[in-house]
Amino acid sequence: MTLVNAVLQGIFLGAFYAVLACGLSIMFGVMRIINLAHGDVAVLGAYIVFVIVEHTGVSAFVAFAAALPVMVVLGYILQLTVLERSLKAGILTPLLATFGLSIVIQNLLQLTFSPDVHSLGGSAGVVTTSSWQVTSGLSVSALGIVVLAVAVLVFGALQVFLSRTRAGWVMRATAEDADAAELVGIDSRSVYARATAIAVAIAALGGLFLGIRSVFDPVSGPTQLIFAFEAVVIGGMGSLWGTLFGGIALGVAQTLGAQVHPQFAVMAGHLLFLAVLIVRFGGGRAVLPGVRRALLLRTAR
Amino acid sequence: MTLVTVESLDCRYGLLQAVRGVSFEIGQGETVALIGANGAGKTTLMRAVAGAHRPHGGRVVFDGIDITRIPAHRRVALGIALVPEGRRLFPGLTVEENLRVATSRRRGRWNVKSVLEVFPLLQPRRHVAAANLSGGEQQAVAIGRALMTNPRLLLLDEVSLGLAPVVVDAVYRSLTDVIREGATVLLVEQDLTRALKVAGRVICMLEGRVVLEGDAASLDRDRVVRAYFGLKRPA
């Protein structure tokens, strides 16, 4: 029963990772940019929600609705001022630019909010603490259900947007061949800005969930980025449903790892990530014979 | 009436000069064939007119407006469409999605329905991903996608490249319909006979320069061939 519970909690945790990873996946899929500031953007979103909650006393969810337009505008500005310029300079420049942006965001947050930890748990109401005891060894938290439902909703909505609407086709067309898209009248700059705005808005949603489920401080971003990045890679770079699946796989790996030993949780996630990398990039053929030989040697001895 | 004026256009790729001081005019409703050997600068010239290549010098004027500095997507809104070399479809999008992304604000006779009427071979394939089409079908989608923008000037870059002769015939039959409806067309074509048959006027390029220009009817094949290979510079 503890195993079933671990898998269930892993799915809830993984849905959270998937939300974090979603924006990263969009930006990679559309612009081939790996946004190293993605985790910090999520934390920035959490801080904006936190400020609104502190000043108005509304629920974290209401505050998030108010923060959403701010994040969308931030996404546009980010694209038009930083990413667009760096995209022109080749494949490595956006990586460096977003790395720099990550440091800038962390330091601005430190300056403004001090290194104290904050949480949005208290302002999210009953959702934070409610849970249902299904059986003695199996409990389902309200927050877990909310995060999973929102994750499925976000990925579903994006899927419908990309496959059913003209704006979605335009985005896919630009992702596949920006040069050819320009030649049929598509302004790739505005498509990129729209993609970044969506990515930043969903990152803020990840930040909201981070703040509700635990605590955050100005330097929480990079850790979130690592989990988000692993989710994207496990699910297959640039594949949307893959990212949801990858996030859940990572979450389940972590909770199962915690069953072995509490300190093994994060490590189990990293091992899954490494295993996927090795198999995906043909390393399986290069590495597996070596592993087999090593095992054979040991048994022979 | 003149629709396009190209004035002493220079195009470069780094140190390589692909187009050297090219000037010509295309009148409304004309069909002009651009011919020349590989590397003569035809594709670069087409891309410069469409806005995909930023020229180093010279001007491109379209319908009285200097468009030299206007980006490609806004030239589409003005009525210029390029069918690029190698078709450049969006492989993951279906035929219909490929067509619909090109829908423009310009009004005109072209929409998904009318494009599929001109290219009936696409009708049963409209929900198939472009990556899974045959070469001829892909070329039809590429032309149809350009038509969806309701262009006043259609630029066609080697539409027959890599297609079976029968398919090329079919593509050109559809094009003749388009031309007959009054579109202005500038096309690059390697097949001289076909170029002389379709076009009213021929411009021959050699090493980045225009070396021969004239009405298709008045040019004899020998002169064109000499200009094409640069055997003897015509006066």
Side-chain angles (χ1 to χ4, degrees):
Chain A
M1 211 55 183
T2 43
L3 212 61
V4 176
N5 189 48
V7 170
L8 191 65
Q9 304 309 325
I11 290 171
F12 293 147
L13 178 65
F16 163 63
Y17 291 151
V19 172
L20 269 177
C22 186
L24 204 63
S25 184
I26 291 172
M27 288 183 71
F28 182 78
V30 177
M31 291 171 282
R32 306 277 137 184
I33 284 182
I34 295 171
N35 178 12
L36 290 182
H38 190 75
D40 304 286
V41 169
V43 172
L44 177 68
Y47 270 102
I48 292 175
V49 172
F50 173 73
V51 169
I52 296 172
V53 167
E54 287 290 290
H55 280 77
T56 59
V58 294
S59 141
F61 294 105
V62 177
F64 174 74
L68 207 52
V70 180
M71 294 307 282
V72 168
V73 172
L74 272 180
Y76 266 99
I77 295 174
L78 172 67
Q79 176 63 32
L80 296 178
T81 56
V82 180
L83 298 180
E84 192 194 305
R85 287 151 169 271
S86 64
L87 259 176
K88 285 184 196 145
I91 195 160
L92 195 62
T93 318
L95 210 60
L96 291 172
T98 54
F99 179 68
L101 185 69
S102 154
I103 294 170
V104 170
I105 293 175
Q106 285 174 35
N107 282 284
L108 283 178
L109 289 176
Q110 295 255 27
L111 273 175
T112 321
F113 298 100
S114 83
D116 291 350
V117 285
H118 295 290
S119 173
L120 296 169
S123 52
V126 287
V127 175
T128 315
T129 49
S130 309
S131 68
W132 297 280
Q133 196 76 26
V134 181
T135 62
S136 60
L138 200 67
S139 73
V140 176
S141 72
L143 184 60
I145 297 279
V146 168
V147 173
L148 181 62
V150 169
V152 171
L153 210 67
V154 164
F155 280 87
L158 276 173
Q159 182 64 37
V160 170
F161 167 72
L162 288 173
S163 61
R164 294 263 183 277
T165 69
R166 185 172 174 270
W169 300 335
V170 165
M171 196 167 281
R172 278 161 57 210
T174 312
E176 287 184 349
D177 191 337
D179 197 35
E182 285 274 332
L183 287 173
V184 296
I186 296 169
D187 182 1
S188 60
R189 287 180 55 195
S190 84
V191 175
Y192 285 170
R194 205 178 303 154
T196 309
I198 294 173
V200 167
I202 299 173
L205 183 64
L208 171 78
F209 289 149
L210 169 72
I212 295 174
R213 35 179 314 128
S214 64
V215 293
F216 58 94
D217 62 47
V219 292
S220 299
T223 318
Q224 306 310 315
L225 174 73
I226 289 175
F227 294 147
F229 187 73
E230 288 184 341
V232 173
V233 173
I234 292 170
M237 304 280 277
S239 146
L240 210 52
W241 286 118
T243 301
L244 178 61
F245 168 78
I248 289 175
L250 179 67
V252 171
Q254 289 190 357
T255 48
L256 285 180
Q259 293 296 305
V260 179
H261 191 279
Q263 285 188 331
F264 191 62
V266 174
M267 179 58 96
H270 293 335
L271 288 178
L272 173 67
F273 166 73
L274 280 177
V276 169
L277 268 188
I278 289 169
V279 172
R280 170 100 22 92
F281 295 104
R285 253 164 289 142
V287 174
L288 288 181
V291 172
R292 202 173 301 138
R293 219 171 300 128
L295 288 175
L296 282 174
L297 274 177
R298 189 183 285 176
T299 45
R301 223 177 269 157
Chain B
M1 201 192 88
T2 306
L3 186 64
V4 192
T5 310
V6 173
E7 281 175 23
S8 45
L9 199 71
D10 275 316
C11 294
R12 294 183 181 182
Y13 296 95
L15 287 174
L16 178 81
Q17 194 164 359
V19 174
R20 303 159 187 259
V22 166
S23 300
F24 61 87
E25 286 187 349
I26 301 174
Q28 179 88 50
E30 251 194 307
T31 301
V32 178
L34 198 56
I35 58 173
N38 282 336
K42 308 179 300 287
T43 293
T44 308
L45 181 62
M46 297 279 256
R47 287 177 61 82
V49 174
H53 183 96
R54 207 191 178 102
H56 187 262
R59 294 204 312 158
V60 181
V61 179
F62 179 74
D63 197 22
I65 309 164
D66 185 343
I67 58 166
T68 318
R69 301 268 161 251
I70 292 180
H73 69 268
R74 282 184 47 214
R75 295 192 199 191
V76 176
L78 290 172
I80 299 178
L82 169 69
V83 179
E85 192 179 11
R87 310 187 264 268
R88 301 288 289 272
L89 296 181
F90 307 117
L93 272 62
T94 66
V95 169
E96 191 171 335
E97 288 167 355
N98 263 284
L99 295 177
R100 283 199 194 281
V101 290
T103 313
S104 80
R105 266 161 285 165
R106 294 180 53 78
R107 290 172 180 281
R109 78 171 291 266
W110 297 108
N111 50 46
V112 174
K113 190 163 167 280
S114 57
V115 166
L116 292 179
E117 274 166 15
V118 176
F119 297 105
L121 76 164
L122 296 179
Q123 189 72 53
R125 312 283 277 162
R126 60 194 290 179
H127 299 299
V128 175
N132 300 333
L133 298 178
S134 72
E137 289 166 345
Q138 285 189 11
Q139 192 60 68
V141 176
I143 297 172
R145 189 177 64 175
L147 291 175
M148 287 292 291
T149 66
N150 282 304
R152 296 167 65 193
L153 171 66
L154 185 60
L155 305 163
L156 298 160
D157 198 353
E158 302 222 17
V159 289
S160 55
L161 196 71
L163 299 183
V166 200
V167 182
V168 179
D169 285 339
V171 167
Y172 268 93
R173 260 200 306 280
S174 312
L175 272 182
T176 330
D177 293 345
V178 174
I179 291 167
R180 206 179 297 130
E181 293 186 24
T184 310
V185 178
L186 176 62
L187 62 97
V188 169
E189 177 53 67
Q190 291 287 4
D191 182 342
L192 195 56
T193 315
R194 201 177 285 279
L196 290 170
K197 202 162 78 185
V198 178
R201 196 148 59 89
V202 173
I203 297 174
C204 183
M205 286 181 78
L206 179 72
E207 291 166 3
R209 293 192 177 83
V210 174
V211 286
L212 181 69
E213 187 180 346
D215 289 339
S218 73
L219 289 174
D220 65 282
R221 222 185 136 84
D222 264 8
R223 267 184 79 196
V224 179
V225 170
R226 277 203 304 273
Y228 187 104
F229 292 110
L231 296 177
K232 197 174 124 200
R233 294 282 164 93

